[in-house]
Amino acid sequence: MKLGYIILYVPDVSAAIAFYEKAFGLARRFIHESGGYAEMETGATALAFVEEGAAKEHGFTVRHLRPKEDAAAIELALVTPDVATAYTRAVEAGAEATQPPKQKPWGQTVAYVRDLNGVLVELCSPMEG
């Protein structure tokens, strides 16, 4: 097995794409002609967005992501050599500042923001060794 993609059910796929481009510098990999599904280029594993209604179409319900509610029990980790710059860029693009960059005991620098839908995003330096 390998992880192919992570899919977030969002209220507005176009807004999610635009936000992730502006806040994190990610590029579009694929957008379905309907506009209801899209993937961002993130390396071997894509980050994807699908409109919330797709969950019901697939026969299940989900707790919708909302910025004013507690974050879902998941986080996306985006690795960058310059966490401080990435954090500033994300906040200037509208991400909610959650935890500023901190050096961790294991040597990694880590910061947290929440995206436009309330998803917790970890910005972290690469692990050494």
Side-chain angles (χ1 to χ4, degrees):
M1 293 275 185
K2 68 176 184 174
L3 182 60
Y5 43 89
I6 301 292
I7 300 174
L8 299 178
Y9 289 79
V10 297
D12 186 334
V13 172
S14 295
I17 293 167
F19 177 82
Y20 274 75
E21 287 175 326
K22 185 176 180 184
F24 307 114
L26 299 182
R28 301 170 188 211
R29 176 188 280 185
F30 169 79
I31 301 174
H32 187 269
E33 62 189 29
S34 69
Y37 177 82
E39 295 177 358
M40 305 301 290
E41 189 63 59
T42 58
T45 303
L47 173 60
F49 305 103
V50 67
E51 58 191 17
E52 292 174 340
K56 189 173 183 178
E57 292 172 13
H58 294 180
F60 53 88
T61 59
V62 296
R63 183 181 66 78
H64 296 300
L65 302 168
R66 296 295 184 259
K68 300 299 181 199
E69 297 177 9
D70 288 343
I74 187 171
E75 70 181 57
L76 300 177
L78 299 176
V79 181
T80 176
D82 189 349
V83 174
T85 298
Y87 179 81
T88 299
R89 176 184 180 161
V91 171
E92 288 175 353
E96 178 188 335
T98 304
Q99 289 185 9
K102 293 179 185 173
Q103 184 77 25
K104 297 296 185 178
W106 54 89
Q108 194 177 30
T109 302
V110 177
Y112 292 92
V113 297
R114 288 183 68 184
D115 78 3
L116 76 163
N117 295 305
V119 174
L120 189 61
V121 179
E122 175 185 343
L123 304 171
C124 59
S125 60
M127 290 292 295
E128 299 298 326

